[in-house]
Amino acid sequence: MLSQETISIIKSTVPVLEKYGQDITKRFYQRLFENYPELKNIFNQTNQRKSSQQQALANMVYQAAKHIDRLNDLSEEALVVAHKHVSIGIRPDQYPIVGEQLLGAIKDILGDAATDTILNAWAEAYGVIAQLFIDIETQMREANLQKGAWDGYKEFVVANKIQESDGITSFYLKPADGQQVPVYSPGQYISVKVKPEGESHTHIRQYSLSDAYTSDFYRISVKKEEGRHALPEGIVSNYLHDEIEEGQRLLVSAPQGKFTLELDNKKPIVILSGGVGLTPVTSMVKTWHEKGGEQPITWIHAAINGRAHALKDEMQTMAKENPNLTLYTIYENPTLEDQREQAYDKEGRLDMDWLKGILPSKDAEFYFCGPEPFMKLIYNDLLNWGVPEASLHFEFFGPTSQLIAN
C-alpha cells in the first residue's frame, strides 16, 4: 500500500505529466534501447517511428498518476496491456529495467523540477504498479499452461497459404511437434516472431485468429501493409506474404486477448468490421454458427471493393445456413464487377443514419474492429446514439482515449 504522502506527491505531478508525458516516454524509449539494445527484439520499432508506443505509454503513466489512489479503475486497460505483454514475452525481471529507465527519463526531461522527493515517490508508485502487472501476467501464463498451451514461443509449420483477397492472405499453422493446439476464445490473437534477412533484430506482430477453434491448426489472415505517406511498408506482413511458403516454420505465442465473444449473453449482437478488421469477428461468428447460435447477429462489413473483401464466401455460406445471421456489405469504391453483380448493400462509407435504418434496435451488444478512423467513428457515434459503454466491445491496440472525438 502506498502512503498518503506518496499518493499526494504523485497526484501533484498529474498536470506536469499531462504537459510533458510524451516527451518523457520518448526519452524513456531512447534510454531503454541505448542501454538495453536487446529489447529491440521485443518492442515494435515501426510503432516507435509512428510514436504510437510513446503515446500509449504516456497515457498509461498519466492515468496511473491520476488514479494512483484507486488503481482498480484502470483494470480494463491494464488487462489489455497485460495480455499483450504475455503475448510478446515481457518477463517479470524486465520490470525493474523499465522502472530505472522511466525514472531516468523523468529526470532528464523535468531537470531540477524532478526533486528527490518526487523521484522517490514515483519509484515507490512504480513498484506497486509493476507488481500489479507482474501478478496479472503470472496468472495468465499459469492459465495458459493449465489448458495445454506454452510459455514463450513455439515452432509451427505453415501447412497452407491461401490468398483471400488482393491484399490479404491466410496462413494455416500447425504445431511442428504434432500436438493439438489448445482451445482459445473467438477474437483472440497470437504473436508471430520473425527475423527477416538483413534485419538486425527480431520483429513481433500480433495477428487475430480468423477461424473457429479446431484442434489441428491456427489460422491467421494477414494484410500486406504497403508503405504510404511517411510510413514504411510492413516489415512482418511483407515478409510473410513474400518470403514464407508452405512447409516453412514460424515462432508463435499462445493465444491472448480480451476482445472475445460472450456467447452466454442472449442479447442481439451487432458486428461492424472494416478491412482486415474482419479477422477476429470472423472467428466470433464462425464459433457462434458452429455452436448453433440463436441470438440474432447483424454483421456489417466495410471494404474498398470486392477485390479487397476477404473471407466473403465464408460469410455468405454462414448466412445461408443460419437464418439468425444477417449480412450487410459496404464498398467505398465498388468495381464495375461489383456493380454488375450487385455485390454490396451500400456504396461509400458507414454512417449512422444508414446504420440506424437497418438495425431493429440499439439494445444489442456491439463488437467492432478495423482501422483507427473507422473505430473512432463507430465508438463515438454509438455513444452519442445512447448505447451504453458497457455494450461496446472492440479490439484496439492503444488507449481508449485515442478513440474519443476531440
Side-chain angles (χ1 to χ4, degrees):
M1 288 289 291
L2 294 173
S3 68
Q4 189 56 52
E5 180 182 5
T6 297
I7 289 171
S8 298
I9 294 170
I10 296 299
K11 280 188 170 291
S12 74
T13 66
V14 168
V16 177
L17 293 173
E18 189 171 19
K19 184 175 181 179
Y20 295 106
Q22 199 157 343
D23 293 331
I24 292 170
T25 55
K26 181 179 179 180
R27 179 62 184 141
F28 159 74
Y29 280 114
Q30 290 171 346
R31 290 177 57 101
L32 187 70
F33 298 138
E34 287 168 2
N35 292 296
Y36 300 92
E38 67 275 12
L39 292 179
K40 288 184 177 181
N41 291 306
I42 295 177
F43 290 93
N44 185 326
Q45 296 302 300
T46 299
N47 283 346
Q48 287 291 316
R49 289 191 290 272
K50 292 191 297 184
S51 297
S52 55
Q53 280 185 334
Q54 293 92 327
Q55 185 177 355
L57 179 58
N59 180 76
M60 181 59 74
V61 172
Y62 170 75
Q63 293 296 334
K66 191 176 178 180
H67 298 87
I68 193 66
D69 54 344
R70 51 185 198 284
L71 288 173
N72 286 340
D73 290 356
L74 299 178
S75 59
E76 287 303 305
E77 286 200 4
L79 278 174
V80 172
V81 174
H83 274 288
K84 189 168 183 180
H85 282 178
V86 172
S87 183
I88 66 176
I90 298 293
R91 313 304 300 186
D93 60 5
Q94 291 166 332
Y95 276 92
I97 293 172
V98 170
E100 171 194 4
Q101 299 309 313
L102 183 59
L103 291 174
I106 292 173
K107 182 64 175 177
D108 288 350
I109 297 301
L110 300 185
D112 292 341
T115 63
D116 288 345
T117 299
I118 287 175
L119 291 175
N120 289 337
W122 262 106
E124 185 183 350
Y126 175 80
V128 171
I129 296 167
Q131 193 60 52
L132 174 68
F133 277 101
I134 290 169
D135 291 345
I136 293 171
E137 291 159 18
T138 298
Q139 291 171 10
M140 288 179 176
R141 291 190 183 93
E142 290 174 352
N144 282 342
L145 294 174
Q146 288 173 4
K147 64 183 180 184
W150 59 97
D151 188 13
Y153 288 85
K154 178 176 176 176
E155 279 196 337
F156 277 66
V157 177
V158 179
N160 209 353
K161 179 181 178 182
I162 297 175
Q163 185 172 347
E164 305 285 7
S165 69
D166 277 358
I168 297 175
T169 294
S170 286
F171 297 82
Y172 290 73
L173 309 175
K174 291 190 173 184
D177 60 9
Q179 299 294 311
Q180 292 186 344
V181 297
V183 173
Y184 60 87
S185 298
Q188 290 192 306
Y189 56 83
I190 57 173
S191 286
V192 176
K193 180 163 70 171
V194 300
K195 191 176 185 296
E197 186 175 355
E199 291 291 322
S200 59
H201 50 80
T202 57
H203 293 266
I204 301 171
R205 297 294 185 273
Q206 287 75 48
Y207 296 109
S208 297
L209 295 160
S210 62
D211 208 344
Y213 172 76
T214 172
S215 61
D216 294 334
F217 60 83
Y218 289 146
R219 183 179 78 174
I220 56 174
S221 301
V222 179
K223 179 185 177 184
K224 186 176 184 179
E225 297 290 350
E226 306 287 354
R228 65 190 189 279
H229 307 304
L231 297 179
E233 65 182 20
I235 293 172
V236 178
S237 65
N238 278 264
Y239 177 72
L240 293 176
H241 275 253
D242 298 338
E243 304 296 333
I244 294 298
E245 302 297 339
E246 293 176 359
Q248 291 183 266
R249 297 189 176 199
L250 292 171
L251 291 174
V252 172
S253 71
Q256 293 293 149
K258 66 180 294 292
F259 176 58
T260 57
L261 180 65
E262 297 294 333
L263 287 170
D264 293 337
N265 191 329
K266 299 307 179 184
K267 286 176 63 176
I269 296 169
V270 177
I271 290 178
L272 303 111
S273 54
V276 75
L278 61 73
T279 53
V281 297
T282 298
S283 174
M284 292 179 183
V285 178
K286 291 190 77 171
T287 301
W288 165 88
H289 175 64
E290 290 184 2
K291 293 182 178 296
E294 296 179 356
Q295 62 270 67
I297 290 185
T298 303
W299 185 0
I300 301 105
H301 180 64
I304 298 296
N305 52 45
R307 291 196 299 265
H309 188 166
L311 307 174
K312 184 175 183 178
D313 289 344
E314 294 184 17
M315 295 168 63
Q316 292 179 333
T317 297
M318 286 188 287
K320 289 176 182 176
E321 295 176 351
N322 194 322
N324 291 321
L325 174 60
T326 303
L327 294 179
Y328 292 95
T329 302
I330 302 172
Y331 288 159
E332 185 174 348
N333 295 304
T335 64
L336 290 175
E337 183 180 0
D338 294 331
Q339 294 170 356
R340 282 196 301 269
E341 295 181 357
Q342 297 182 321
Y344 54 96
D345 301 288
K346 183 183 187 303
E347 182 175 350
R349 298 188 178 187
L350 176 65
D351 63 77
M352 282 303 294
D353 287 340
W354 180 83
L355 184 62
K356 292 175 184 178
I358 66 166
L359 295 181
S361 169
K362 64 182 177 184
D363 184 24
E365 296 297 315
F366 289 80
Y367 293 79
F368 51 99
C369 187
E372 184 173 334
F374 176 88
M375 301 274 289
K376 192 169 186 176
L377 174 75
I378 291 170
Y379 180 80
N380 289 284
D381 282 352
L382 291 177
L383 285 178
N384 290 336
W385 190 23
V387 178
E389 191 165 13
S391 293
L392 303 183
H393 314 276
F394 50 89
E395 183 76 281
F396 183 67
F397 289 115
T400 304
S401 58
Q402 288 180 219
L403 295 180
I404 299 172
N406 296 323

